[in-house]
Amino acid sequence: MGNKPTIAISHLGCEKNRIDTEHMLGLLVQAGYQVDSNEELADYVIVNTCSFIEDARKESVRTLVELAEANKKIVIAGCMAQHFKEQLLEEIPEAVAVLGTGDYHQIVDAIQQAEAGQRVNMVSENPTYIADETTPRYRTTSEAVAYLRVAEGCDYRCAFCIIPQLRGKQRSRPIESIVAEAQQLADQGVQELILISQITTNYGIDIYGKPKLAELLRALGRVDIPWIRMHYLYPTGLTPDVIAAMQETANILPYLDLPLQHSHPEILRAMNRPWQGQVNDQIIQQLKTALPKATLRTTFIVGFPGETEEHFEHLVDFVERHEFDHVGVFTFSPEEGTAAFNLPNQLSPEVMAERRDTLMAVQQPISWEKNQAEVGKAIAVLIEQEHPETQMLLGRSARFAPEVDGLVYVQGEARLGAIAQVEITSADHYDLYGRLAN
C-alpha cells in the first residue's frame, strides 16, 4: 500500500449533522487517514449535506458543484444523500460514494472501496444506526462546548417536515451510554453540554416505553459539567417531573427551547400538531411560574398554506403577550413528499417575507428589553474566543445558546474555555457588552 489519501470534510446543516461529521472525522483519524481542513489539498472531500428545505439543498448543491469543478473525488453524506441517492450518483460523476444518515459509521469502508475503484452506494433505506460513547469522535466545536445526541429520528409527522423520511424513526440511547459520553466530555474539559435530538422531550419512549428525560437529567446532574442545555423541547413533554428535575439539578440550565411553529389552533391542526393548540397559553404560563428565571426561545413558521391575516394576527398577539427571550421566524418552504406540499391556498413569497419581517419587528423591542435587564448585573459567561481585531473576548451567558442567540463581548483577560463573572455595562437587541469582574 502506498500513502493513504488525504481527506477533508465540508460540513453543512444542523448540529445533528455536525455530530455525524465529528464521528466520521474520528473514525478516519483512528484508521490512520490524514484529515485536512483544506479542501484544496485533499484527495477526497466528504460533503455532509443538508436537505431540510430548498435553501439548504441549494447550498449543498453549490458546494458539490464547486468541488466537482475542482476535480475532487467527492463523498456525499448526510440528508441529501439519504434523499436523492441515485440522482446524485447520476448527476455528479465526480461523486465516488453516497452515505445515508444511518451509514456514516461506514465511512472508512466507503473510502477503501472508492480507492479500489468502485462507486459506492451505502444508503440504508430506513436509517436505524445511532452512534454511542464508544464510537470515535473528533470535536469541531470550541473547546468548552460539545453537542451530545440523546436520540435520533422522529415518530411525528408534522405536515411541513421531511425529517422522518431523512433520519428515520426515533431511536434513543440508554441513559448509561449518554452519561458515559458526558463523563468523557467532562474529562476533556467541556463546560457546556448541549443535549440534542429531534424531540428531546420524547427521549426514551422507544426503549423504555415512556419518556425518561427527567431520569436522564438527574443522572447527568452527577457529571461534573457546569452547564447542560437542552434543545427542542415540546411544551407538552415538559411534565411536572421534568420541571422538578430541572429545578433539582444544579447544572441543568433553565433554558427552554420550544419549537412552537404557530399559535393558532387551526394552523396547528393543518400542520398536524393538533395536540399543541389547546395548551399553548396555559403551558407557557405554567412554565414561567415553575421556572421564573427560565430563558424562553421559540421558532415560528409564517406563511403556512391557508394562513389568513387573522391567523397571523393571532401569532403576533401571542408573541407580544408571552415575551420570549429569543424568537426565530422562518417562512414556509413547500417540501415534496410532505403533506403541506399539496395543500391549497399557498401564499406568495412576498406575503411570507412581509409576515416574517413584521413578526421579527414585533419581537425586536422585547429582545431589547430582556437584554437591557441584564445591564448592571454580574453574570456568568463562558469565554469562547478572542475577537481578532478588537482583542475583546467573546462568550455567551446561560441565556444564549451557540449559533442561534447573541454573544457577550468582554473586556479584560480570561482563559478561553473558562466560565467567568462579567459585569454587563450595555446591551443591544442581540448582544451584551461588559468587563470581567474582579
Side-chain angles (χ1 to χ4, degrees), residues 242-275:
V242 171
I243 289 171
M246 290 180 76
Q247 290 165 332
E248 293 158 24
T249 313
N251 55 356
I252 306 293
L253 298 179
Y255 178 96
L256 301 175
D257 171 35
L258 313 165
L260 295 175
Q261 313 309 356
H262 212 281
S263 61
H264 198 289
E266 283 169 25
I267 294 294
L268 288 165
R269 241 195 324 278
M271 287 178 165
N272 199 23
R273 299 163 72 90
W275 35 268

Side-chain angles (χ1 to χ4, degrees), residues 50-264:
C50 178
S51 199
F52 183 46
I53 54 173
E54 187 59 43
D55 287 351
R57 280 197 291 279
K58 283 185 180 145
E59 189 188 358
S60 293
V61 169
R62 224 180 7 253
T63 307
L64 292 170
V65 169
E66 280 166 19
L67 291 166
E69 284 168 357
N71 289 323
K72 292 293 167 197
K73 294 176 182 162
I74 305 170
V75 176
I76 308 174
C79 284
M80 206 161 163
Q82 190 70 36
H83 204 168
F84 300 109
K85 45 192 175 290
E86 273 80 24
Q87 284 149 278
L88 289 170
L89 283 173
E90 276 165 35
E91 287 169 32
I92 302 176
E94 294 77 5
V96 294
V98 289
L99 264 89
T101 58
D103 309 284
Y104 56 88
H105 55 303
Q106 304 194 67
I107 184 65
V108 172
D109 197 21
I111 297 282
Q112 285 168 349
Q113 289 184 33
E115 276 291 275
Q118 294 166 337
R119 280 193 103 191
V120 184
N121 180 348
M122 285 189 181
V123 179
S124 304
E125 201 51 44
N126 297 309
T128 55
Y129 177 74
I130 181 167
D132 65 17
E133 77 281 9
T134 64
T135 315
R137 180 176 174 191
Y138 183 94
R139 289 210 337 275
T140 59
T141 43
S142 76
E143 217 170 322
V145 178
Y147 290 102
L148 179 55
R149 175 160 44 202
V150 300
E152 173 63 279
C154 184
D155 295 339
Y156 286 160
R157 288 290 178 272
C158 298
F160 51 82
C161 181
I162 197 158
I163 283 175
Q165 283 125 282
L166 302 179
R167 293 260 167 189
K169 286 193 155 63
Q170 178 172 309
R171 48 204 183 275
S172 304
R173 294 169 56 186
I175 290 176
E176 299 72 31
S177 167
I178 296 168
V179 171
E181 188 174 2
Q183 194 53 62
Q184 291 169 6
L185 293 165
D187 296 342
Q188 293 166 23
V190 165
Q191 301 293 299
E192 177 179 15
L193 201 55
I194 302 170
L195 306 183
I196 60 169
S197 69
Q198 265 68 35
I199 305 180
T200 303
T201 25
N202 278 0
Y203 164 74
I205 289 179
D206 51 301
I207 52 174
Y208 298 115
K210 54 174 191 266
K212 286 282 190 179
L213 181 59
E215 288 83 344
L216 176 64
L217 296 180
R218 292 188 176 104
L220 287 169
R222 296 192 278 279
V223 178
D224 187 18
I225 290 181
W227 288 1
I228 298 180
R229 186 187 303 277
M230 292 176 280
H231 276 192
Y232 316 115
L233 302 165
Y234 276 143
T236 43
L238 290 169
T239 58
D241 197 22
V242 171
I243 289 171
M246 290 180 76
Q247 290 165 332
E248 293 158 24
T249 313
N251 55 356
I252 306 293
L253 298 179
Y255 178 96
L256 301 175
D257 171 35
L258 313 165
L260 295 175
Q261 313 309 356
H262 212 281
S263 61
H264 198 289

Side-chain angles (χ1 to χ4, degrees), residues 30 133 204 393 434:
Q30 184 192 47
E133 77 281 9
L393 299 168

Side-chain angles (χ1 to χ4, degrees), residues 390-434:
T390 61
Q391 268 53 71
M392 284 179 94
L393 299 168
L394 295 181
R396 288 175 299 102
S397 71
R399 285 184 61 236
F400 294 155
E403 313 280 335
V404 288
D405 300 330
L407 292 169
V408 186
Y409 291 80
V410 184
Q411 285 173 322
E413 299 277 309
R415 190 171 58 75
L416 295 186
I419 293 177
Q421 287 294 313
V422 174
E423 287 169 17
I424 302 301
T425 50
S426 68
D428 59 28
H429 287 104
Y430 297 107
D431 303 314
L432 303 176
Y433 304 84

Side-chain angles (χ1 to χ4, degrees), residues 287-294:
L287 291 175
K288 285 184 168 176
T289 309
L291 298 164
K293 290 198 170 73

